[in-house]
Amino acid sequence: MLKYTIRRLLGMIPMLILISIVVFTLAKLMPGDSLSGEIDPLNTNPEYIAEMREKLGYNEPLPVQYFDWITGFLQGDFGKSTRFKVPVADVIIEKIPNTLFLGVMSLLITYILAFLMGMYSGRKPYTIGDNAIAGVNYIMLAIPSFVAAVFAIYFFSFHLNWFPFGGSVDILVEEGTLDYWFSRLHHVLLPALVLGAMSTASYTQFLRNDIIENSRKDFVRTARAKGTPLKKIYNVHILRNSIIPLVTFLGFDFAALIGGAIITETIFTYPGIGQLFLDSVTSRDYPTLMALTMLLSFLTLAGNLIADILYGIVDPRIRLD
Amino acid sequence: MTGNYTTKKTTPLLQVRNLQTGFKIDRKFYNAVENVSFNVDRKQIVGIVGESGCGKSVMSLSIMQLLPNGIGKIRGGEIDFEGLNISELSDKKMNKIRGKEISMIFQEPMTSLNPVFTIGYQIEEVILNHESISKKEARLRSIALLKSVGIPRADKIVNEYPHQLSGGMRQRVMIAMAIACQPKLLIADEPTTALDVTVQAQILELLKDIQETNDMSIILITHDLGVVAEICDEVIVMYAGKIVEKATVDELFNNPKHPYTDLLMKAIPKMDEDVEKLATIDGLVPSIINMPQIGCRFANRCPKAMPECLTVTPQLGEVEPQHEAACLLYDESWPAGEERQREGVPVL
């Protein structure tokens, strides 16, 4: 397992180099640059601007600029955010806890809902309940998250006043107190519900189909012949088999956990990675944008690796070495 | 109807009476097993033979009530196990019988075990389903069971997964699981079909040994007459959902009555005969959707068929002591059969 992991990690290196070239090129291809964010905004003297452009390396050939960026990146220097004037790493690290909190909450909601619905549907396929679950799931899947988020804010925050409109915490509460954590939970709940409840479809339907398929397998008949109660057959024998393909999704989820939800975070003005990403695009904060894209690429690769390792754990037929 | 030689003895372990099992196809029920009656005595091995699709497996699944839910259904008859009609038991009550009183092994050892649980877990499960002992004791029992079915390194195998074992080994595991609670009846549904010939013999020998030591009865479902000859006491020949012949093993092999049985016997390749082409029975078993409602179901393939065979349904009746067959040729009440026999047409 360790050997396999190391081999896979080494295999990521060429992939990441390629990604970095693409990310850098795309950033450079975009119209405009972040020069204006790095110079004195009050000095409009063309000579000053030309001098700064030369000094900051904007006139160097692209390969040289790439090389400068990537060497700094490898040494842990992600550059300076042209918007916040602080190192990119600081900006990102500041946002990660919020996003992680939202990600974990929404994922928990997805898992709980999807497992309950999937197991019910799988056990009673083609019934009214199953069809209702499928209907609700597909409607949720079809509704764009920005529509759902706006409606959720309108009903639950504006009309019912159950949840705050946005932000991650009430500014009046003192940090570290119980009230503070309670307030954070209160703020995260609505975006988490929107995110979590909207994305149950794939898990639910996948689990349902796999349970139906497995319930026709010979080993189920064997378990029945042993006198195992039907409930235990579904909850142990079949479920344990049906979890295996779901591990694939888990890999994607891992990247989403830190990558954040761009649209939902923006609508709820929830200060996380997703919102930072969008703001970096609109304010041409390319160092932050490139660092974030690299981070997401790495997380996706890492998520796939984690999924593959998990396969080896949940499925005894797969041995990694 | 049924011969009275069985009723003279003590009550049989299993009595199947007029069993009818049907399948729902396009909202209509079709019978896959019709009016099947037979007994299994204690310590007896009963073989059930017939072509694919003749209802053997459906019948055995009916006894265990393991028919596919919502599709297969017992539509009539009784299944008495030790005097209790188990065909009407709830699933919960049936769970107390499955694995403990009656257990079953299947044709496909490769897929019959759950791939993600260890061998040990799967054997312990049946013990823990029926007995209140600790997991540790169950583990020791399962190691002992694996040893008793001839699995080497049993203490290691309990921690291994099914895919790490060969087909023969898996079938041994299935047998260990089936005998874990010392059931009174074992239903073996083509236990050797998926295995290669040398392993087949070992598994049969193992079954026979266990049957003797545990005083168990076995219903052995097979289409291999060689297997039947080797270990069975009594044989039931089924065709298209019905019993066509029933006799002790010696009687059946020495003196087959029903033309179908006779043709089955002839289809066994002989070692001492050099033939270009193996004997076959032409045609197919009628599918359950267009099963003839009257007449003999074998008539369209039967070389001895008479015109009456298409209009009169033959009943199972005694033709010799301890030998029953369902064929008009032996039905004394049917003049045509009598006539034919009188005319000196060789019966078989």
Side-chain angles (χ1 to χ4, degrees):
Chain A
M1 186 102 90
L2 186 71
K3 239 170 90 185
Y4 175 82
T5 313
I6 291 171
R7 210 171 59 222
R8 282 286 302 269
L9 283 171
L10 289 176
M12 278 185 196
I13 293 173
M15 190 72 108
L16 284 170
I17 291 175
L18 270 174
I19 291 169
S20 72
I21 293 173
V22 173
V23 167
F24 185 82
T25 316
L26 283 177
K28 285 295 166 189
L29 278 175
M30 288 212 253
D33 54 36
S34 46
L35 177 75
S36 56
E38 291 182 85
I39 58 174
D40 181 1
L42 299 174
N43 193 341
T44 52
N45 187 347
E47 275 171 40
Y48 165 76
I49 294 172
E51 189 197 343
M52 285 310 283
R53 184 176 286 276
E54 177 69 34
K55 205 175 143 191
L56 288 168
Y58 280 94
N59 290 338
E60 300 280 352
L62 278 184
V64 177
Q65 287 190 39
Y66 169 75
F67 196 73
D68 283 349
W69 171 66
I70 199 74
T71 34
F73 202 91
L74 287 177
Q75 288 160 359
D77 174 17
F78 299 159
K80 209 163 132 185
S81 163
T82 56
R83 181 164 160 242
F84 298 104
K85 316 283 185 271
V86 288
V88 169
D90 293 356
V91 180
I92 293 176
I93 285 167
E94 194 201 324
K95 308 281 186 189
I96 278 182
N98 281 341
T99 288
L100 206 60
F101 190 38
L102 176 62
V104 170
M105 288 301 288
S106 69
L107 213 57
L108 268 179
I109 291 169
T110 306
Y111 283 179
I112 291 169
L113 289 178
F115 263 72
L116 290 177
M117 291 192 290
M119 284 178 66
Y120 176 86
S121 288
R123 202 171 156 171
K124 298 189 164 70
Y126 313 110
T127 56
I128 296 172
D130 172 38
N131 287 330
I133 285 172
V136 168
N137 268 304
Y138 285 126
I139 288 171
M140 300 267 241
L141 186 71
I143 297 174
S145 62
F146 56 86
V147 174
V150 168
F151 273 94
I153 291 173
Y154 180 73
F155 285 112
F156 297 112
S157 304
F158 186 72
H159 271 292
L160 297 167
N161 220 354
W162 287 354
F163 297 101
F165 289 79
S168 69
V169 67
D170 205 326
I171 44 167
L172 294 173
V173 295
E174 202 178 319
E175 198 168 331
T177 58
L178 194 68
D179 273 355
Y180 172 80
W181 288 109
F182 188 75
S183 165
R184 289 202 63 164
L185 188 68
H186 195 203
H187 279 77
V188 87
L189 225 46
L190 194 58
L193 265 171
V194 170
L195 262 181
M198 300 304 286
S199 48
T200 52
S202 54
Y203 273 104
T204 307
Q205 296 306 312
F206 216 92
L207 188 64
R208 169 193 181 269
N209 293 348
D210 215 68
I211 286 176
I212 295 172
E213 201 185 305
N214 275 322
S215 65
R216 295 184 186 135
K217 293 239 169 101
D218 286 350
F219 65 76
V220 170
R221 196 180 50 188
T222 307
R224 300 252 292 139
K226 289 197 285 190
T228 309
L230 212 52
K231 199 174 163 190
K232 195 186 170 196
I233 292 178
Y234 271 101
N235 293 345
V236 178
H237 286 262
I238 294 177
L239 189 62
R240 184 66 179 69
N241 277 280
S242 294
I243 278 175
I244 297 168
L246 291 186
V247 165
T248 321
F249 291 120
L250 212 75
F252 299 124
D253 287 340
F254 180 75
L257 219 53
I258 298 175
I262 294 171
I263 294 165
T264 313
E265 283 186 9
T266 307
I267 293 174
F268 283 96
T269 57
Y270 187 85
I273 299 285
Q275 201 192 22
L276 177 68
F277 191 90
L278 200 66
D279 288 350
S280 304
V281 175
T282 50
S283 60
R284 290 189 192 146
D285 188 353
Y286 291 132
T288 311
L289 198 57
M290 289 194 292
L292 279 177
T293 318
M294 286 305 288
L295 176 74
L296 289 184
S297 311
F298 173 74
L299 286 174
T300 308
L301 291 177
N304 282 334
L305 173 62
I306 288 173
D308 285 349
I309 290 172
L310 277 176
Y311 275 131
I313 294 169
V314 295
D315 191 343
R317 284 162 295 184
I318 299 172
R319 280 281 161 264
L320 309 169
D321 41 34
Chain B
M1 284 279 300
T2 318
N4 56 1
Y5 58 93
T6 42
T7 45
K8 281 176 194 159
K9 299 175 194 170
T10 51
T11 345
L13 180 69
L14 181 82
Q15 272 183 297
V16 176
R17 280 197 297 265
N18 296 323
L19 180 71
Q20 280 194 47
T21 301
F23 279 95
K24 205 163 138 188
I25 301 167
D26 291 333
R27 292 180 191 176
K28 268 182 83 179
F29 262 109
Y30 297 95
N31 277 352
V33 169
E34 244 184 79
N35 289 325
V36 164
S37 306
F38 66 93
N39 294 341
V40 179
D41 287 331
R42 279 165 215 274
K43 304 178 201 173
Q44 195 183 31
I45 303 185
V46 175
I48 298 180
V49 285
E51 277 168 278
S52 305
C54 72
K56 297 170 295 187
S57 294
V58 175
M59 199 214 48
S60 61
L61 291 174
S62 306
I63 297 173
M64 289 291 271
Q65 282 195 40
L66 288 178
L67 293 161
N69 223 344
I71 308 164
K73 204 173 169 244
I74 297 176
R75 301 177 66 207
E78 278 167 43
I79 301 167
D80 283 358
F81 180 77
E82 293 195 300
L84 177 73
N85 183 4
I86 56 170
S87 66
E88 283 166 357
L89 287 186
S90 66
D91 198 55
K92 211 174 160 189
K93 282 187 178 146
M94 203 57 207
N95 273 339
K96 292 203 164 67
I97 291 176
R98 291 188 203 119
K100 170 124 180 79
E101 306 288 339
I102 310 174
S103 59
M104 191 159 178
I105 50 177
F106 301 96
Q107 183 175 351
E108 275 296 335
M110 310 309 271
T111 53
S112 290
L113 292 164
N114 194 327
V116 297
F117 291 104
T118 60
I119 302 294
Y121 176 89
Q122 300 190 48
I123 300 177
E124 283 154 37
E125 188 180 28
V126 63
I127 302 171
L128 295 171
N129 274 345
H130 300 291
E131 290 170 37
S132 44
I133 58 170
S134 71
K135 276 193 177 166
K136 225 175 187 173
E137 284 172 280
R139 170 58 49 121
L140 292 175
R141 272 264 294 274
S142 52
I143 293 174
L145 277 163
L146 285 174
K147 280 184 184 153
S148 76
V149 295
I151 288 187
R153 318 183 283 121
D155 48 332
K156 296 274 189 311
I157 298 282
V158 281
N159 293 318
E160 286 186 7
Y161 290 91
H163 70 276
Q164 291 166 284
L165 304 182
S166 67
M169 283 296 172
R170 286 188 219 181
Q171 198 59 293
R172 283 172 194 268
V173 170
M174 285 297 291
I175 293 171
M177 222 148 72
I179 61 166
C181 294
Q182 304 203 326
K184 297 182 183 103
L185 175 65
L186 174 73
I187 303 174
D189 188 355
E190 310 212 13
T192 57
T193 307
L195 306 173
D196 58 69
V197 184
T198 46
V199 182
Q200 281 186 13
Q202 294 169 10
I203 295 288
L204 286 177
E205 203 168 309
L206 176 66
L207 281 176
K208 182 100 185 151
D209 282 350
I210 293 166
Q211 185 263 335
E212 275 162 15
T213 44
N214 285 12
D215 283 342
M216 183 172 70
S217 306
I218 298 180
I219 297 179
L220 183 74
I221 293 159
T222 179
H223 51 241
D224 188 342
L225 284 167
V227 170
V228 171
E230 214 164 309
I231 71 168
C232 293
D233 301 318
E234 207 178 304
V235 195
I236 292 167
V237 182
M238 280 184 78
Y239 184 80
K242 286 186 167 184
I243 294 181
V244 293
E245 190 159 5
K246 189 155 78 171
T248 58
V249 73
D250 292 335
E251 174 70 18
L252 188 92
F253 276 85
N254 296 330
N255 188 15
K257 292 290 185 193
H258 198 284
Y260 178 61
T261 317
D262 188 47
L263 287 170
L264 276 185
M265 302 276 186
K266 285 190 179 135
I268 307 173
K270 307 268 182 326
M271 293 283 273
D272 49 359
E273 276 172 33
D274 194 14
V275 285
E276 285 278 308
K277 207 175 158 208
L278 295 173
T280 52
I281 308 177
D282 291 334
L284 288 171
V285 183
S287 91
I288 63 169
I289 297 172
N290 37 38
M291 195 65 82
Q293 289 309 307
I294 49 162
C296 173
R297 291 179 172 181
F298 189 58
N300 61 340
R301 301 171 74 187
C302 182
K304 298 195 170 64
M306 308 174 283
E308 299 81 3
C309 293
L310 295 171
T311 51
V312 179
T313 310
Q315 304 294 329
L316 196 63
E318 198 161 82
V319 288
E320 301 267 338
Q322 311 211 343
H323 194 151
E324 291 171 46
C327 180
L328 291 187
L329 286 175
Y330 307 100
D331 197 337
E332 301 293 325
S333 64
W334 191 250
E338 213 178 309
E339 215 171 281
R340 248 172 113 85
Q341 287 186 35
R342 223 187 302 120
E343 276 167 13
V345 180
V347 163
L348 278 171

